[in-house]
Amino acid sequence: MISIRNLSKTYGNAEGGHRALDDVTLDIGRGDIFGILGSSGAGKSTLVRCINLLETPTAGHILIEDREITGQSKTDVNKLRREVGMVFQSFNLFPHLTAKQNVMIGQTKVLGRSKEAAEAEAMKQLNAVGLADRADFKPPQLSGGQQQRVAIARAVAMHPNVLLFDEPTSALDPELVRGVLDVIRDLAENSGMTMIVVTHEMDFAREVADRVVFMEDGVVVEQGVPEKVFDHSENARTAEFLGSIG
Ligand code: ADP
């Protein structure tokens, strides 16, 4: 479904810049739950941000369903964003809108759905993340975990083919992490969406992901099914990282 070929991203100019991604090649199957692991600064966020063109790759190609997305015009980027949803570490909700309005706005503005249809979908998705009773609350009145669940409802309401999660629980207090992981786990098991999840939650990645990659210094150093990467790591850096956090 997603084919990443020789992808590189350098921030700043080519001579003095920082190479955040260095010749990354990956294939992600339809419906796969794909975990991206690695220490801070490894390039995980840059990789997922390239997949919806929030970052422009310096070199290489990304194909989604055999269509090249790199080097597209503005209109095509908008179309891409309808197909590829994103959940950010810091939620990125509009603070002045209610939870329900946050879930509705992309549907009406980007998809052109009627207000009634968008509202019905918003309530369905808020219900799915356990927040139907918070529909009229604004983000400052919600906990971080609740805000992130609203952000997930907002992304799912657009019915993307691919949903990207960029460290969705990193900004949360520890006691709020589980509720958000449960929502993501439920989507992974029941939605059929292709999901790419950057995470430091190793137990979660091991249980939920079909495949994981381990990144270091902009390079994929290891990939495979979780059992292989976690229990039979072939790479010293992966083993060291897993050891240090496990
Ligand atoms: P990770 O998500 O694995 O923590 P990132 O993709 O955020 O890693 O960052 C990879 C590297 O690129 C880091 O060294 C980071 O400092 C650098 N980087 C990320 N974003 C930018 C940016 N906008 N400008 C310059 N350097 C950046």
Side-chain angles (χ1 to χ4, degrees):
M1 168 131 197
I2 303 177
S3 176
I4 296 169
R5 292 281 164 270
N6 308 105
L7 196 73
S8 293
K9 169 71 184 178
T10 302
Y11 290 107
N13 61 35
E15 298 91 59
H18 178 83
R19 198 153 200 195
L21 290 178
D22 189 0
D23 202 21
V24 170
T25 291
L26 283 177
D27 285 297
I28 299 165
R30 182 187 303 278
D32 269 3
I33 312 302
F34 197 89
I36 302 181
L37 319 174
S39 52
S40 185
K44 307 179 298 295
S45 180
T46 302
L47 177 60
V48 290
R49 290 169 66 85
C50 282
I51 297 174
N52 71 352
L53 297 182
L54 279 174
E55 298 290 354
T56 310
T58 313
H61 304 274
I62 302 174
L63 290 90
I64 300 184
E65 311 229 41
D66 297 327
R67 270 182 301 116
E68 170 101 45
I69 65 156
T70 22
Q72 294 203 337
S73 70
K74 183 95 177 79
T75 351
D76 288 336
V77 171
N78 290 335
K79 185 162 174 284
L80 171 77
R81 299 260 167 83
R82 281 182 225 163
E83 292 169 31
V84 181
M86 177 113 170
V87 174
F88 299 88
Q89 184 175 347
S90 50
F91 329 133
N92 292 14
L93 298 175
F94 290 113
H96 60 291
L97 298 181
T98 65
K100 184 169 72 182
Q101 288 166 336
N102 266 285
V103 183
M104 287 172 65
I105 190 163
Q107 300 184 63
T108 53
K109 291 244 189 297
V110 179
L111 301 182
R113 281 190 192 142
S114 70
K115 189 168 171 287
E116 293 69 30
E119 186 165 8
E121 178 68 23
M123 288 313 299
K124 181 178 160 200
Q125 297 305 339
L126 285 171
N127 192 42
V129 300
L131 289 175
D133 61 343
R134 296 289 188 277
D136 296 323
F137 286 48
K138 292 181 178 171
Q141 302 168 302
L142 299 169
S143 74
Q146 289 171 334
Q147 289 184 58
Q148 190 61 300
R149 280 146 62 197
V150 172
I152 294 171
R154 173 179 63 179
V156 176
M158 304 292 282
H159 293 285
N161 295 326
V162 180
L163 191 47
L164 311 172
F165 292 86
D166 189 4
E167 296 195 23
T169 60
S170 294
L172 300 177
D173 291 334
E175 70 273 19
L176 302 177
V177 168
R178 175 136 300 277
V180 171
L181 291 182
D182 285 347
V183 165
I184 301 173
R185 184 193 317 264
D186 183 53
L187 283 174
E189 287 168 3
N190 300 312
S191 73
M193 269 186 301
T194 305
M195 292 168 47
I196 302 177
V197 188
V198 175
T199 185
H200 290 288
E201 298 289 333
M202 295 301 141
D203 291 343
F204 177 77
R206 181 194 275 264
E207 274 171 54
V208 174
D210 299 304
R211 286 210 300 141
V212 295
V213 296
F214 180 77
M215 291 182 67
E216 190 73 53
D217 294 334
V219 176
V220 170
V221 293
E222 187 148 357
Q223 61 176 305
V225 296
E227 297 73 41
K228 170 177 170 277
V229 174
F230 284 99
D231 300 332
H232 306 284
S233 176
E234 287 162 7
N235 183 285
R237 305 282 288 273
T238 317
E240 189 187 332
F241 175 76
L242 294 172
S244 71
I245 57 153

